[in-house]
Amino acid sequence: MGMNQLSTLEHILITTKVEKVMNWSRATSVWPVTFGLACCAIEMMAAGASRFDFDRFGAGIFRATPRQADLMIIAGTVTYKMAPVIKTLYDQMPEPKWVIAMGSCATAGGPFDSYHTIQGVDKIIPVDVFIPGCPPRPESLIYGFMKLQDKIMTSSLADRYKDIFEEVG
Amino acid sequence: MTEPNLPGSPEVPEAPAGPYVYDYSASPQRQIVMPKTVPLPSLKTYLAEQEAAAVADEAKWQKMLADFEIAKVKAEAEGKDAPKPPVRPVPRKDDNDMKTPWPQEANDADLHRLQERLGDKVEEIFEQAGELTCQVSKDAILEALQLCRDDAALNYEMLADETATHYPVATNFTFSVVYHLTSISRRKRLRLRILIPEGFSPESACAVYPGANWMEREVYDMLGIRFVNHPDMTRILCPEDWEGYPLRKDYPVVGWGQRDIAFREDRGGMIERIALQKAGQLGINHKQPKAE
């Protein structure tokens, strides 16, 4: 009789972890900030438009405020004058948040090995995915975004709040 | 191993004080090398160069003649055949086709009009590749601009561009500030130019051409030339706390800018705003404390 009950429940119940559900929901509804710096932003817009359709991955809703966004795509050259603005925008985003450095400028300064350009946005904010290219095609951005989704899916609540747990003991 | 265009041991300038200090000794390839600059186009300089070249050419010819005389006497003494007399080398005619346009005498009526009205304040007028250039005294630039705009025969309505160039190796000046004027009604262009030393503050063109405002701010930002009587002489492109002037030839392309990123504590001015709010000086909805 017990066996029969279990086989009935299998058709109506799914067992999973809370962490996995949260990761799944986060990875499939990543909302980026409406934020472009240079020519990479054009490719980012192309990725969001109908031909490539970023919305298939749940990331097509470009929010106009960092307070409602999870993802920041650094699409373009980061100058010293823009750096405090980027830092402020990043600080305004709520946790959990992710950053994609798109293109060689945001990754490592690109051709601007010069006095006015930050040699990689990872000098001011933590970066999850680096996408090479000058500029990367929308396919590259989508591939990088899928890598970010993989990262989100493998992330753990314990890892994220590891420091806090260690403090509490 | 020495590179031909670069000086042997470049001078390392003093790094600016403060949090942005770059260690030049750490990477020698990032030391400052003074780039070779294009010489200032000038009719006087061009004529002087031509004269010097002609003198050098004549001296070379005289030396060839003297050598020939010595060789002839030597050949006679030894009983040999006399050597062939030298032939003076003639420059090829098609050499001029390959040259960049050189400064020529001014033929345009506008330049002569400027010289007639301004007199001694005009230092030089010439044409180069069909472009008119008038170099005026550095104290008379506002007067010259006023004349160009208001004179009925000149009538240059628009200041198309204003910029400056750094000439680090020049002896009698450091910067040349150029004003590109356009006459829409007469379809002509004119270039005014002043040469200024380091530390000199020329008169701002904003009084005559209000469009010079941001151009002069850019010149100040990039080269450090401060204009007198400018409404807002602040940086326009670089951040407010920038040190140095990037478009000067002795500014390192890599070096000072490639510094560790360090933000001001009051990033975005929020601390200041909070302090103002606490003091009751900010916020339209903030209630002023009532006097007891």
Side-chain angles (χ1 to χ4, degrees):
Chain A
M1 188 182 170
M3 289 293 287
N4 286 341
Q5 276 183 348
L6 189 61
S7 61
T8 317
L9 286 172
E10 262 182 355
H11 289 96
I12 55 170
L13 285 181
I14 302 168
T15 56
T16 181
K17 289 190 284 184
V18 176
E19 191 177 271
K20 200 173 174 184
V21 174
M22 285 181 72
N23 285 343
W24 170 79
S25 65
R26 280 171 179 168
T28 47
S29 66
V30 179
W31 290 358
V33 198
T34 312
F35 180 61
L37 290 173
C39 34
C40 278
I42 304 295
E43 297 296 309
M44 188 177 72
M45 289 175 225
S50 55
R51 186 180 181 88
F52 296 96
D53 200 6
F54 218 25
D55 222 355
R56 290 178 293 159
F57 307 93
I61 306 174
F62 284 85
R63 302 302 297 182
T65 164
R67 296 174 199 280
Q68 300 166 0
D70 313 303
L71 171 64
M72 190 183 221
I73 302 176
I74 309 291
T77 317
V78 184
T79 57
Y80 277 93
K81 195 164 187 178
M82 199 64 193
V85 182
I86 293 173
K87 180 77 173 153
T88 308
L89 284 174
Y90 180 78
D91 289 349
Q92 285 174 346
M93 284 164 65
E95 289 276 355
K97 51 191 171 184
W98 298 277
V99 175
I100 290 179
M102 181 184 181
S104 44
C105 292
T107 305
F112 307 107
D113 187 14
S114 183
Y115 63 91
H116 51 71
T117 305
I118 289 181
Q119 306 298 304
V121 75
D122 55 325
K123 289 200 172 182
I124 53 169
I125 54 176
V127 177
D128 295 283
V129 177
F130 293 92
I131 303 173
C134 187
R137 282 189 57 83
E139 293 97 322
S140 306
L141 180 61
I142 288 167
Y143 181 73
F145 179 74
M146 288 164 77
K147 284 287 168 195
L148 179 69
Q149 280 184 324
D150 292 349
K151 184 177 179 176
I152 296 170
M153 285 303 287
T154 52
S155 66
S156 151
L157 283 172
D159 284 351
R160 185 168 282 277
Y161 301 108
K162 202 176 165 186
D163 299 340
I164 302 170
F165 289 152
E166 279 174 359
E167 275 179 24
V168 174
Chain B
M1 194 181 78
T2 53
E3 294 179 54
N5 288 344
L6 308 178
S9 57
E11 278 187 15
V12 180
E14 217 177 310
Y20 313 131
V21 177
Y22 187 79
D23 185 10
Y24 285 96
S25 55
S27 54
Q29 71 271 20
R30 289 197 168 174
Q31 287 185 356
I32 297 163
V33 176
M34 195 72 82
K36 286 181 81 173
T37 50
V38 179
L40 184 80
S42 160
L43 183 61
K44 281 179 194 167
T45 320
Y46 177 75
L47 291 178
E49 279 173 6
Q50 291 293 305
E51 199 173 331
V55 168
D57 194 43
E58 183 63 29
K60 195 178 171 187
W61 170 239
Q62 293 299 332
K63 188 173 182 304
M64 282 168 78
L65 282 179
D67 287 351
F68 169 67
E69 290 297 328
I70 292 166
K72 201 164 78 174
V73 171
K74 197 176 171 187
E76 275 181 6
E78 294 176 359
K80 290 178 183 172
D81 293 343
K84 277 176 77 178
V87 182
R88 184 161 187 167
V90 181
R92 276 166 55 189
K93 277 185 181 174
D94 56 351
D95 275 359
N96 282 348
D97 297 340
M98 303 300 287
K99 275 167 74 176
T100 50
W102 57 93
Q104 289 168 337
E105 292 287 342
N107 290 320
D108 196 86
D110 287 7
L111 292 175
H112 290 295
R113 171 90 181 162
L114 271 170
Q115 197 168 36
E116 174 196 321
R117 292 293 301 272
L118 291 172
D120 294 342
K121 290 166 188 166
V122 172
E123 292 175 353
E124 190 179 357
I125 50 171
F126 63 92
E127 291 182 24
Q128 187 172 9
E131 298 174 1
L132 318 177
T133 306
C134 174
Q135 180 182 319
V136 299
S137 163
K138 59 180 182 289
D139 301 311
I141 183 60
L142 200 62
E143 193 184 336
L145 287 167
Q146 188 91 43
L147 181 70
C148 287
R149 191 191 67 177
D150 295 342
D151 194 281
L154 298 170
N155 204 11
Y156 286 93
E157 297 105 344
M158 192 170 91
L159 179 66
D161 193 15
E162 176 180 349
T163 186
T165 317
H166 186 204
Y167 291 95
V169 292
T171 50
N172 51 347
F173 67 98
T174 314
F175 301 103
S176 81
V177 185
V178 287
Y179 301 76
H180 290 227
L181 304 178
T182 304
S183 173
I184 298 163
S185 56
R186 299 174 59 231
R187 298 183 184 177
K188 286 192 85 165
R189 289 172 191 273
L190 174 72
R191 182 186 300 125
L192 289 180
R193 183 171 80 188
I194 54 173
L195 306 181
I196 59 170
E198 172 76 56
F200 181 82
S201 297
E203 195 77 22
S204 168
C206 291
V208 186
Y209 295 102
N213 189 330
W214 283 18
M215 299 179 200
E216 285 176 353
R217 283 179 68 189
E218 188 183 344
V219 168
Y220 163 64
D221 196 357
M222 290 289 137
L223 290 146
I225 301 169
R226 297 193 69 91
F227 290 87
V228 181
N229 297 332
H230 190 278
D232 180 22
M233 196 79 262
T234 52
R235 286 190 181 274
I236 189 170
L237 297 174
C238 290
E240 291 79 10
D241 55 346
W242 194 264
E243 289 158 9
Y245 304 105
L247 229 54
R248 290 193 179 190
K249 294 285 190 284
D250 54 359
Y251 191 90
V253 176
V254 291
W256 292 347
Q258 305 242 339
R259 57 207 185 188
D260 293 333
I261 183 80
F263 294 122
R264 284 171 293 168
E265 190 189 353
D266 188 10
R267 191 178 66 226
M270 279 314 289
I271 295 171
E272 191 189 348
R273 285 180 71 85
I274 290 164
L276 284 171
Q277 200 163 19
K278 278 181 182 169
Q281 298 173 12
L282 191 73
I284 47 174
N285 296 324
H286 190 83
K287 289 176 184 171
Q288 295 289 339
K290 289 176 184 174
E292 291 179 0

